[in-house]
Amino acid sequence: KLMEIIKKFRIKSFKNPKPIIKLEKISLSFGKLKILDNISFTVNEGQILGLLGPNGVGKSTIFNLITGLIKPDNGSISINSTKVNNYPIYLRTTKFKIGYVPQHGGFFQDLTLLENLTAIGEILISDNKIRNQKIDSLINKFDLNALTDLKAAYLSGGQKKRLVIALSLLGDPKILLLDEPFAALDVLTIKMLQRIIVNLQNEHNISIILCDHQARDLLNCVDSAIVLSNAKVIAEGSPSQLVNNVKAKNAYFGEFFKIS
């Protein structure tokens, strides 16, 4: 089964859980429109958490709250046990080492793949030798050797995604946010990305949050997931728990959804 291939084990429960991100009683409205209504969840160190829900349910908003792009109306956001509601974006990303992979863009169209890595590397890594080693290792890790001199604008969807993930890893993040990583990609590229995501967890103990509309692809590489509907968390648990959850079925999956 695909599921076993991608994620051989799931962290069902942590013996000594160490929360790395905690959202507590978060509410947010834009005008009269309620986006999030008193939601709470925790991501433990080294865990992969998925966010699922219909369009416009606030999945990307949660990323913007974690990075500091927007502030909640109520509730607290903690990273590594520190309340960060008033921390600006740059401080959150540097102090807590947050990497972010946006759904679109995230690179310089007119620069080559290597120039992209070098430009961001120069901001994050002052030592020339260490920077070059890091860039070389990421090029090898993501199998980008043949593409280094190609302008980013001419890369395929999957190649762009690998580049943006590589760029996000230049700062050695402890937390990685992936916004719809599987959108508009072919099946083989999605499988490759799933392996990359699981390997980041296995090899580097990175805590990962990803949201995607491709529910099956997301559930194949997460430890646990939450389902959002009507501004609330309506279900959370392991993939198999979620698929059998009545509320999640009614609001999101439908009756006949299967993981693999």
Side-chain angles (χ1 to χ4, degrees):
K1 282 182 184 175
L2 170 66
M3 190 141 180
E4 272 68 54
I5 298 167
I6 300 296
K7 193 107 179 74
K8 288 194 171 67
F9 70 95
R10 282 194 159 68
I11 305 175
K12 295 270 190 342
S13 61
F14 290 75
K15 285 198 179 78
N16 299 303
K18 189 181 172 201
I20 194 161
I21 294 179
K22 210 168 189 173
L23 272 66
E24 292 178 280
K25 300 185 174 173
I26 294 287
S27 294
L28 178 73
S29 299
F30 295 144
K32 289 187 176 165
L33 182 64
K34 212 169 220 351
I35 306 293
L36 299 170
D37 183 9
N38 203 30
I39 73 155
S40 301
F41 68 83
T42 300
V43 185
N44 287 313
E45 196 175 275
Q47 184 182 20
I48 304 179
L49 176 80
L51 305 180
L52 287 168
N55 243 338
V57 81
K59 300 186 296 292
S60 298
T61 304
I62 288 172
F63 285 171
N64 292 337
L65 286 164
I66 292 168
T67 56
L69 198 61
I70 50 179
K71 276 190 181 185
D73 300 332
N74 295 299
S76 74
I77 300 163
S78 303
I79 306 176
N80 272 351
S81 305
T82 303
K83 186 173 173 179
V84 297
N85 287 48
N86 295 319
Y87 278 52
I89 294 175
Y90 75 90
L91 200 53
R92 291 193 203 194
T93 49
T94 51
K95 186 177 167 73
F96 301 108
K97 295 200 169 257
I98 299 174
Y100 177 52
V101 177
Q103 185 184 347
H104 304 293
F107 57 89
F108 301 104
Q109 298 268 5
D110 273 356
L111 298 185
T112 67
L113 185 140
L114 180 58
E115 286 166 348
N116 265 281
L117 286 161
T118 304
I120 302 301
E122 283 173 353
I123 296 168
L124 297 172
I125 307 165
S126 50
D127 185 299
N128 264 343
K129 191 177 173 193
I130 294 171
R131 185 194 316 128
N132 291 336
Q133 283 172 345
K134 182 87 183 163
I135 289 170
D136 284 347
S137 83
L138 286 167
I139 286 170
N140 288 325
K141 185 181 187 69
F142 292 109
D143 201 16
L144 298 167
N145 304 66
L147 308 167
T148 49
D149 298 329
L150 202 59
K151 275 197 175 182
Y154 302 126
L155 297 171
S156 73
Q159 290 163 346
K160 284 174 180 165
K161 198 60 79 178
R162 274 147 59 203
L163 167 61
V164 181
I165 294 174
L167 290 169
S168 74
L169 294 177
L170 278 166
D172 287 325
K174 293 269 172 265
I175 299 163
L176 193 58
L177 308 176
L178 296 163
D179 196 354
E180 304 222 7
F182 308 127
L185 297 178
D186 62 88
V187 173
L188 283 176
T189 306
I190 287 172
K191 277 189 188 175
M192 181 191 64
L193 267 187
Q194 288 170 322
R195 289 198 178 92
I196 285 171
I197 290 164
V198 173
N199 284 340
L200 290 174
Q201 177 193 36
N202 292 348
E203 293 168 22
H204 304 283
N205 200 34
I206 295 177
S207 309
I208 299 168
I209 306 181
L210 63 150
C211 72
D212 212 286
H213 286 300
Q214 315 287 345
R216 193 170 281 104
D217 296 323
L218 178 139
L219 290 172
N220 276 328
C221 65
V222 300
D223 297 306
S224 61
I226 62 177
V227 179
L228 296 148
S229 181
N230 293 328
K232 289 183 179 292
V233 174
I234 58 156
E236 57 186 303
S238 70
S240 48
Q241 286 168 336
L242 277 187
V243 172
N244 296 310
N245 180 297
V246 175
K247 282 185 181 173
K249 273 185 179 180
N250 290 342
Y252 185 63
F253 292 118
E255 197 51 50
F256 304 108
F257 183 86
K258 297 269 188 293
I259 293 178
S260 51

